[in-house]
Amino acid sequence: MNKNCECGRVNPYGTEVCGSCGKPLADPDSNRLLNMRYEGAARRSQIYSTSIIDKIWNFFSSVKVGIGIIIVTIIASSLGTIFPQEMFMPPGETPEVYYEEEYGGLGQVYYALGLHNMYGSWWYMLLIAALGTSIIIASIDRFFPLYKALKSQRVTRHKSFMKRQRIFGTSRVEDVDHTFQAAQDILKKKRYNIREENGHILAEKNRWARWGPYVNHIGLIIFLIGASLRFFPGMYVDENMWVREGETEVVPGTSGDYYVENQGFTYEEFDEDDEIFADGMEASAALQFEETFRTDAVLYRPEGPLGVDQELEEVDRHPIEVNDAFHFDDYTLYQVDYKLDELKELSFEVEDTETDEVVGSFTVDLNDPDDTYALDNGEDVRINSYFPNFYMNDENMPTTENDVPDNPAFIFEMANPDTEALDHTFLGIQANYNVSPDQEENRYEFSLDGFDTNDLTGLTVRKDNTIPYLSVGGAIFLIGLVQGSYWPHRRIWLQRKDGEVWLAAHTNKHWAPLKKDIDAITKETGITAPRDQIDDEYEKGEDKDNS
Amino acid sequence: MSLSMILLTIAFFFYLVATVLYAVSVTGRKWRNKEGRVTGNNWGLFGYITAIGGLVFALGYFVTRWITVGFAPVSNMFEYLTFFGITLSLAFVIIYGIYRSNVLGVITLPVVMLMIGYATVFVTDYQPLQPALQTYWLEIHVLTTGLAQGILAVSFGAGVIYLLRTIDLKGKKMTKRTFGVEFIMYTFMTLFAFIVLTNAFNAFGYEAQFAYVNEFEEPAEIIYDLPPIFGPNEGELLSSDRMEPWFEMPDWIDSDSLNTTAWAFGSGLVLFGAVRLITRRRIGTLLQPFVKRVNPDLMDEISYRAIAIGFPLFALGGLVFAMIWAQIAWTRFWGWDPKEVWALITFLFYAAYLHLRLNRSWQGEPSAWLAVVGFAIIMINLIFVNLVIAGLHSYA
């Protein structure tokens, strides 16, 4: 059911302001200010509401709903920062225990509600998806009607359109033609585009700024789509690796295509007597001020036929630091962590208790111990058991926590030439037990003679093929945001009505600068200053308050 | 005192004088009317010149400190809060250039001084940069974000003026609106009282040392910079001539922070109560003479304009540059660190503000309240998230 306007234009059903002459169609007899949003054009969401699709469309096209989703997202996001998320928990903790122990009853509730792992939860994702849907539908619902309305607007305006603009005034001038010419020149200087029709003038600038919101919404959608691509296989790698100095490890997440060698790790702290920073460091609660940590990394690729004899060939080398990662192929190696002075080798001395003579010594590589070590006197030491990270378990048996040699302990085995039996010696750091089953004295006594340490570097392996999409989306978003924010769309209508000059003006934002433009006209021509009808309304309100 | 600190002190006094000049300019016009002739009022211009002078000295502080430490001084609480004060004054200078609103100076310049004053509560010595911050992205990300936050804070200033201008604060009955305005006033008085208090105790070198038992049931020591109302768990006062705590706290409460917080809010309450008792009026009404002649519609527009300028800049600095740097330094562009989340919240909040403004009934007063809330969110991210919530951004 379309509406015919008196100017001859056929406006689609739901139009509030004629797209051609501006005649108010929704409430023609009112004298309230016209609602100029979307130029009073008809939007799909206001026309159809019968089918399910219409209802969904109408729901998501509503700005109110969009704002509602934003507010719920804000509240949800802030709840997730009350206590640390699960991913920031210290390693080795279990969330069930951690939140209760650390934060008491509130922590328990926090965990029970799932807020400890909120940003990856299905409902948070759903919220973001709803936001995306709202952005798409609301934009489509508005862009096309607005575009058509601004494109089809005629210069000649209906009287009541003029009267019902926020800025409106009439004036009598001596020579209308001359006045219009002068006004035109002034507005042209202010970079307005001038259109003339039947002696009327429309001066308009920055219409393109009106597309800004739609451009930035397109950018946001591309960004959100880009972010969701992460869940497709092959798009994203997030792995961690530890490499000891001098060692070469396969880079996880690269399907064995790459190996990385840690040729040396450097760690430096700020000098605590530094001329500039000494006072600041002393005043701070921090115990150490790290200046640099760096891995001299070499990248290798296995070459030759698959199998045991593959040789590693150097591809590239790069000193990796925080803020200076190692890029290769689709991958990036980041410096994220380190462990200084991890035990690497322990040296032992063996003494014959009968002669009190040292009969030999040997050095154990803690990351790769040998089975036996030969002593100078021809005897062999065998490693019966090795506990890299030793502790006594509940049954009072020695065992190890993991493979990291933080607290190494050994059970050595040696043949006793006197008894022909095997002597067992348990030796750890600051721990020495006799574990021989018969509790007899061992002939040979072991003692720790020396140690050597090295550093480990903690690297993160990252591949993120979503970044190009995010960059494009982000760039479009910013362009649209600037386009829509930094240029206001202004229109000034000058019309000849009833032998008078009628002036009306509209802008989508910032009225004070628009008024300045109009002031320039009224100052130079016989046109009198128009009124800001919102101020009038306000003053009326004030009078009421005072009485 | 270093040259940079001298310059900052000079800047502070320029801001103070500018505030006074602006205050004279908005109240001065009335006196001239009584004389029966309007000769124009140049106090606003003098205020503007002085404010620019303050900005120049503040930038002098910034540049000299930058030269000394070798990086933009925005790496700890003192430096960032000071920088935020400077960007707010810069934003004011820009927006005053567009709208020539003298009253805006009366409200925003004191906020600038409060920010710089609050900054001095923290360690003002030079501190070295940790490895993650040793890059030009520190300048790109933090300077842009700080400038955006300064501009957004102007919208708060204009919003407060709008509220003072339009809300009836003289009525006897307390309403949500009068309470809201008084709450804003109370917050700033708290900040003021706290700054004066800590600087005063600091000037006299106040320290009270305790031996106590911490949450791991180990003996530890702690130094209070303010008199201990709330003492630590099983605390034993080691300093002589210091008062004994009134209350002893259990080990799971950070008693020093609680004590500081109690002093801040308590002294704010005393100041607020004293002024209310003496004047027998709401604090807001004391500021109303300054806003009497203000066109509220113009204030609404300034507030909106500031957000329209600041929002894209915040998106650029606080999200886009932040993400690029996070990808470079922390291996991922987004990691749900509390600071990141609160930057997102700030962004979403102002996005909601802009969408609400599409509806005319949300312009004016509701809009002004939203500008106040937006500023509160920025402050939460600046202070609360740094000091209370642990995360990658907790540098101070």
Side-chain angles (χ1 to χ4, degrees), chain A residues 36-142:
Chain A
M36 290 290 284
R37 271 194 296 160
Y38 318 110
E39 302 294 300
R43 309 198 321 256
R44 188 191 195 282
S45 59
Q46 294 165 328
I47 303 169
Y48 308 105
S49 61
T50 42
S51 73
I52 296 253
I53 294 191
D54 295 336
K55 287 195 171 125
I56 294 173
W57 181 275
N58 295 354
F59 179 77
F60 280 112
S61 73
S62 155
V63 172
K64 250 188 219 158
V65 168
I67 295 168
I69 298 172
I70 292 179
I71 290 171
V72 174
T73 312
I74 288 175
I75 294 168
S77 305
S78 65
L79 289 180
T81 63
I82 296 177
F83 299 131
Q85 290 288 297
E86 191 181 12
M87 55 197 161
F88 301 126
M89 235 171 35
E93 300 272 2
T94 46
E96 295 89 344
V97 185
Y98 177 76
Y99 283 94
E100 194 190 341
E101 246 176 27
E102 200 73 3
Y103 306 106
L106 277 177
Q108 220 175 342
V109 173
Y110 196 75
Y111 174 73
L113 289 176
L115 296 175
H116 68 295
N117 189 11
M118 202 198 77
Y119 303 109
S121 66
W122 61 270
W123 59 270
Y124 194 80
M125 301 252 194
L126 210 63
L127 214 49
I128 303 294
L131 192 58
T133 314
S134 160
I135 290 171
I136 295 172
I137 293 181
S139 301
I140 294 174
D141 194 60
R142 284 166 177 77

Side-chain angles (χ1 to χ4, degrees), chain A residues 19-21 39 148-155 157 195 197 202 204 207 489 491 493:
Chain A
S20 180
C21 71
E39 302 294 300
K148 280 186 211 148
L150 283 175
K151 203 165 161 70
S152 67
Q153 62 171 339
R154 306 280 297 272
V155 177
R157 296 272 95 180
R195 275 167 67 198
E197 187 186 275
L202 164 59
E204 183 176 13
R207 188 198 288 179
H489 177 218
R491 276 172 294 173
W493 293 274

Side-chain angles (χ1 to χ4, degrees), chain B residues 235-246:
Chain B
E236 189 196 327
L237 193 59
L238 299 177
S239 318
S240 52
D241 297 339
R242 300 291 183 228
M243 66 176 245
E244 284 289 340
W246 297 356

